Every structure is written in C-alpha cells, then in structure tokens.
Amino acid sequence: MAAMKMSTAVSLSLLLWLSIDLQTIPVSEAARILAVETIAGKSHWSFLSSVIRSLTDAGHTVTVFTPFPDGNRENYTEVDTSRDFPIKLNLDVMQAIQMFGEPFPLINNIATIARFYCDAINGNRELADVLASGARGRYDLLLIEPLGVDCVSHMADALGIPMIYTIPSPMITFIERQFTGHLSNPSSVPHMFANHAVPGTFVQRFTNAAMLTYSLVKTKYDQIVMRFTDPRPYDLAPTVSPSIIFQNSHYATESSRPLTPNVVYVGGIHLKPAKTIPKDILDFIEDSPHGVILFTLGSTMKVSSLPEHIEKALKEALADVPQRVLWKYEGEMKDKPKNVMTKKWFPQREILLHPKVKLFISHGGMSGVYEAVDAGVPVLGIPVFYDQPRNIEHLVLAGMAISMDLLSTSKEKLSNAISKLINDESYAKNAKIASIRFKDRPMTPQQSVVYWTEYVIRHKGAPHLKSHALNLTWYQYLLLDVMFVVLTFVFLVTFLVYKVLKCIRKLVFKNEKVKSN
C-alpha cells in the first residue's frame, strides 16, 4: 500500500513537472518569409518552389518574387517578375554549346551574366519598396537563390533578418568561400564545371586546380573592373553570409566531400507523388512488348534545333531498337521512326516510375537526375553545358549510366550505348542500388527544409553554425601570414648560423696564420 502511494506521488510529481516544463517550450508560430527567385530558369524555379511549398504546407507564410507565377494560395503570395528578364526556354542547342559548352568560356561570362540578373533583381520596383527602411519587422527570413557574384545578400542586411540560400545545382565552387568560409580541395572535390566525378588522375587534379584558380581570379577581377567602370549601388552594399544553404544534392549522386554544418542536402525535394499518365501515352507504353525509352534534353534546350546530322543519327539509332521511344520534341518531326512518339511535353516523373521504362536518355539536369535515381532507371547521358557533364559522371561512377559527347554522336555509338545499358543487367542493378540509397534518409527533404528553417528563426540566424573561416582574410585562410613568419624565422636563423660560421671560420684561419708565423 505504501509502495502504491509512493508510486502515485511520483507519478503526480512527474506530471506536474512536465506540465510546468512544457509551458516553457516556445510554441512554433507561422513565420513570415520573403523569397526571391533570381534566375529565370524552370529548373531553378522548380527547386525553390518546392522548398517554398514545404514551408507553406507547414503553415508558414511566404511572399515570393518569381518569373514563373502560378497563382496565389493560402499562406502564399506571388509578385510577377517575368517582365524583368527573359525566360530561359527553348534555347538553340548549338548556340548554347558554343557559348557555354566549355568550362573556360563559361567562366569568362559568369560575371557578365550575373551582372544582368543583379540589375534585374535590384531594379525591381516592388522589391525595392520592400527593402525600404519601413519594411523592417515585416519578415522573419529571406529565402533566395544566390548568383555567380554576391549582389543579393545585402537584402537580408537591409531587412535585418537571417538569410537562407537555395542552390539548385551542386555547390557553386568559385563562390563557395563567400558562402561557407571554405574552399573545396581541388585534389578530391570536382569543380562545378568539371567533366569528371572525382579527380582521380594527375591530369584531372591539375585541370581541376587550374579551373578553380582561374574561376576565382577571373570572377573577382571582373567584379573589380565592373565596380570601377560601371558601378551600381549594390556594389558597395554590406554583405552577409547565409545561415543555412539548401543544396540540391544527395550522397547517392554526389561524391563524398567535407561540408560545414550549415550546408543541408535536400536533393529530390521537387519529387511529388506520381499522377496519372495521359491515356495516349500510357497506351503507347503498355502496348510495347519490349519496354520504352524516354528521351529529353530538358526544359531549356530546343531539341529540334539540333544539327541535321546529329538528329539523323538519333533517329536511325532509335529506329533500330526493339523498344518504343518517347521523344520530347518541339514541332513536327520529319521522317519520324514508327516506334517513336513525339510531344512538346511528357510527364517525365510519372513515365520514369512506370515498370516498362528501360532507359532514360537525358542531358543531365539535376531534376531529371533525381527522377531517374528515384525510379532506379539507367541513364544515357548527353550533357550540353554547365553542371551537366559533372552530374552525368557521378551517375557513371555509380555504375548506372554511360556518358556521350553530343557533337561526336553517331548512329553506331548511340546503338552500342543503348544496347549495353539495356542488355547489361549491371546497369539496372546499380540503378536500383542508387535508388535504395537515395530513399534511405532520416527525414524527407521537405522535413529537413522545415526543421532547419525553423531552427534558424528560433536561434536568431544560428550564427553558431557558421565557420570562423568567414572572419578570415584570404591570406589568413591560406595561412600565408603564418608561412611568411615561419619562412622569415627560418631565414633569420639560417642567416645567423651563416654569420656565426663565417666568424668561426675567420677566427680559425686567423689562429692558423698566427701559428705559421
């Protein structure tokens, strides 16, 4: 009986303690978030909009400046910015390759392209009104995609709120130090524009280091020149570093590398539950006894702009396969093979999840990469520019893809690659392994976004997550000042030893001379 009374007393004490303690835990309130899409690319917006959707579904209120307005909804308000810059859709493939196909020409244009977008964003009248001094206290957080040069972080300073970056690609190598305080080691981490997944050879490490050095120096030099020759008000605005970086990456498709605590991988956040495939497409798939192949170069490239000889090689190679082919193609295709269906748009995710899909022919955009990995489908990569070669090479490293150069494509090369990917079971097996790894995570990307966003707000910007390296100058970070002191000390010691030995030598010779006399 005494034991029961004691147990009851302990239980009541515990309940009382819990009731008091729970009252001290702050209840999460709906945060007011300002979001800005800085690049008029559909894949960029797909990533940011998915992050925003996660936050609004969690009850937070978001106001977003976007060039892809889709209509307001509960907790979500859009400001249309499409008039400020052209939408990147249906680009000519060859023109894109000539301008951005090689890393160094692309690096040469980074500052110019970024300047264009910087002007567009900072010149938006509605956004300028929001950034006015009277807007302080209206928002709790800034959610924004960074550009190749920093011209947007001053917005967080103007509003007096923490900032989160969304990066829809791998880490932007040449501006990474401004984000995290650190540089990727080129001996083990590939540059964003590299054509390899891991710099495994001397040549790859050499070119990787050269590319990193050149991109750092070139972008900084271009920034300085522009500030003097064509200055903008935002050039001199105070900058801040992000509290958190949501990056469109995952360990299944990104080689292991050191990360600071505030870099959060949320690759695949754009993946939604599959919808119903339109009847004509579904019938085409299910009536194929040998399965189907999906071919697309994404939302940016206009496949119909391919050179005639390349398009002919693609048609001839695909006409010979036993599978049926779904080919994203603008307009009417001349001499279309009998086993090919063309459309301006296909429900890519839904199709890749269909069990009859045997192969995905893709340019290697991050959205398509994660849709293929999630579905466990082998990939024939035909990268065009930007981070696409690197993305495809990571799939090659995972054993689920083959990469091909678009300009050297021939019927024979395509036929051999398609046959190998479909008939060699190891590719499908490795694709399934990558899919299992991709799905095995402690929380969904959506949950990660909500948790870390609320964490930043709860902890007033979470400055403890930022590296001390952000406070160092470039020469301090590279330990050049330490090396200078060490080398100076070594020089002084060496010089002192030299002088002492010289004096000893003189004394010895002087004594020998005296003895001889």
Side-chain angles (χ1 to χ4, degrees):
M1 189 70 178
M4 288 181 64
K5 287 182 178 179
M6 184 177 293
S7 177
T8 304
V10 170
S11 299
L12 288 172
S13 299
L14 182 59
L15 286 171
L16 180 62
W17 176 81
L18 282 173
S19 65
I20 294 171
D21 190 61
L22 286 172
Q23 290 176 12
T24 65
I25 299 174
V27 178
S28 178
E29 297 180 357
R32 300 159 300 171
I33 299 170
L34 174 66
V36 182
E37 177 54 80
T38 58
I39 296 179
K42 268 197 170 181
S43 59
H44 294 253
W45 173 239
S46 173
F47 182 68
L48 179 57
S49 64
S50 299
V51 172
I52 291 171
R53 172 71 71 171
S54 302
L55 295 170
T56 56
D57 286 350
H60 299 297
T61 301
V62 178
T63 300
V64 59
F65 287 73
T66 173
F68 297 99
D70 192 38
N72 297 337
R73 60 178 186 269
E74 186 178 0
N75 300 338
Y76 177 81
T77 305
E78 291 179 334
V79 179
D80 185 0
T81 61
S82 58
R83 66 185 182 278
D84 294 327
F85 33 50
I87 309 295
K88 297 197 304 179
L89 294 174
N90 297 326
L91 297 180
D92 183 275
V93 176
M94 295 309 297
Q95 186 179 358
I97 291 175
Q98 289 170 4
M99 292 179 63
F100 311 119
E102 293 297 324
F104 287 98
L106 179 55
I107 291 169
N108 290 337
N109 287 303
I110 286 171
T112 303
I113 296 170
R115 192 70 161 186
F116 171 79
Y117 284 114
C118 287
D119 287 346
I121 291 298
N122 287 279
N124 183 278
R125 187 177 296 277
E126 291 92 338
L127 186 57
D129 291 341
V130 170
L131 297 177
S133 58
R136 279 182 174 266
R138 188 187 303 176
Y139 298 102
D140 302 307
L141 180 82
L142 174 64
L143 186 69
I144 192 167
E145 179 180 342
L147 294 164
V149 297
D150 184 10
C151 63
V152 296
S153 71
H154 69 90
M155 298 178 188
D157 180 76
L159 295 172
I161 55 177
M163 175 180 65
I164 291 179
Y165 276 163
T166 61
I167 302 180
S169 64
M171 178 57 73
I172 308 173
T173 325
F174 49 87
I175 200 172
E176 181 179 2
R177 173 149 159 71
Q178 293 184 40
F179 296 168
T180 67
H182 295 276
L183 282 175
S184 294
N185 189 335
S187 67
S188 59
V189 180
H191 192 279
M192 185 182 185
F193 302 147
N195 59 1
H196 51 259
V198 176
T201 67
F202 172 79
V203 173
Q204 288 174 338
R205 285 186 289 112
F206 181 86
T207 56
N208 205 45
M211 203 183 305
L212 177 61
T213 304
Y214 182 73
S215 58
L216 287 169
V217 174
K218 177 62 175 172
T219 51
K220 191 64 178 177
Y221 171 79
D222 288 343
Q223 277 184 272
I224 293 171
V225 170
M226 287 179 180
R227 285 180 180 180
F228 280 99
T229 60
D230 192 17
R232 299 286 192 277
Y234 55 77
D235 287 334
L236 301 177
T239 59
V240 296
S241 57
S243 297
I244 289 286
I245 299 169
F246 291 136
Q247 186 175 319
N248 195 16
S249 296
H250 188 270
Y251 307 105
T253 57
E254 181 79 11
S255 53
S256 180
R257 53 167 296 167
L259 290 173
T260 53
N262 63 339
V263 177
V264 180
Y265 280 1
V266 291
I269 192 171
H270 73 288
L271 299 176
K272 298 178 178 66
K275 298 178 181 178
T276 304
I277 299 175
K279 188 176 185 306
D280 58 333
I281 300 174
L282 185 61
D283 290 343
F284 184 84
I285 295 172
E286 294 188 339
D287 291 342
S288 174
H290 302 287
V292 297
I293 297 171
L294 176 62
F295 175 29
T296 172
L297 292 184
S299 60
T300 304
M301 295 293 104
K302 188 177 181 181
V303 182
S304 57
S305 66
L306 285 169
E308 188 175 340
H309 70 281
I310 295 178
E311 186 172 319
K312 182 181 178 183
L314 288 166
K315 288 178 186 175
E316 292 176 350
L318 294 173
D320 288 346
V321 299
Q323 290 79 21
R324 288 186 173 184
V325 180
L326 298 168
W327 187 338
K328 180 181 175 295
Y329 192 91
E330 306 78 18
E332 293 295 323
M333 179 185 288
K334 297 179 181 178
D335 304 320
K336 183 177 73 173
K338 294 181 180 179
N339 64 331
V340 172
M341 172 188 280
T342 60
K343 282 183 178 291
K344 292 181 180 180
W345 174 85
F346 282 107
Q348 185 170 287
R349 170 156 170 75
E350 286 74 13
I351 291 172
L352 287 171
L353 289 171
H354 196 285
K356 281 206 169 185
V357 174
K358 303 297 182 183
L359 179 66
F360 182 35
I361 303 177
S362 169
H363 63 304
M366 288 306 299
S367 297
V369 163
Y370 287 125
E371 287 170 5
V373 170
D374 183 67
V377 176
V379 176
L380 173 57
I382 309 179
V384 180
F385 65 92
Y386 202 59
D387 61 334
Q388 296 165 8
R390 183 184 185 276
N391 297 341
I392 292 296
E393 286 301 322
H394 274 98
L395 299 185
V396 173
L397 184 66
M400 62 172 288
I402 292 175
S403 181
M404 290 188 64
D405 176 50
L406 179 63
L407 299 182
S408 61
T409 297
S410 66
K411 177 190 174 183
E412 183 181 2
K413 289 180 180 178
L414 278 166
S415 298
N416 291 339
I418 292 171
S419 176
K420 188 175 182 180
L421 285 162
I422 292 176
N423 297 321
D424 187 340
E425 293 181 0
S426 66
Y427 289 97
K429 181 181 178 181
N430 290 330
K432 298 301 181 187
I433 292 173
S435 179
I436 292 169
R437 291 173 179 171
F438 179 68
K439 295 173 183 176
D440 189 359
R441 53 179 90 185
M443 63 175 74
T444 66
Q446 292 81 5
Q447 290 170 336
S448 294
V449 162
V450 173
Y451 172 79
W452 285 110
T453 300
E454 293 177 351
Y455 185 93
V456 167
I457 295 172
R458 282 198 305 270
H459 296 283
K460 312 299 181 184
H464 55 284
L465 294 181
K466 298 182 183 181
S467 172
H468 171 64
L470 287 164
N471 303 320
L472 301 177
T473 62
W474 64 272
Y475 61 84
Q476 290 173 328
Y477 178 75
L478 296 173
L479 287 177
L480 296 182
D481 53 343
V482 174
M483 285 188 278
F484 174 77
V485 171
V486 170
L487 291 173
T488 302
F489 177 76
V490 170
F491 172 77
L492 290 175
V493 170
T494 304
F495 181 74
L496 183 61
V497 170
Y498 168 75
K499 285 293 187 181
V500 170
L501 290 175
K502 190 175 180 181
C503 289
I504 293 172
R505 183 173 176 272
K506 283 183 178 181
L507 286 172
V508 170
F509 277 111
K510 185 177 180 181
N511 290 335
E512 288 180 353
K513 189 175 180 181
V514 170
K515 287 180 181 180
S516 63
N517 291 335

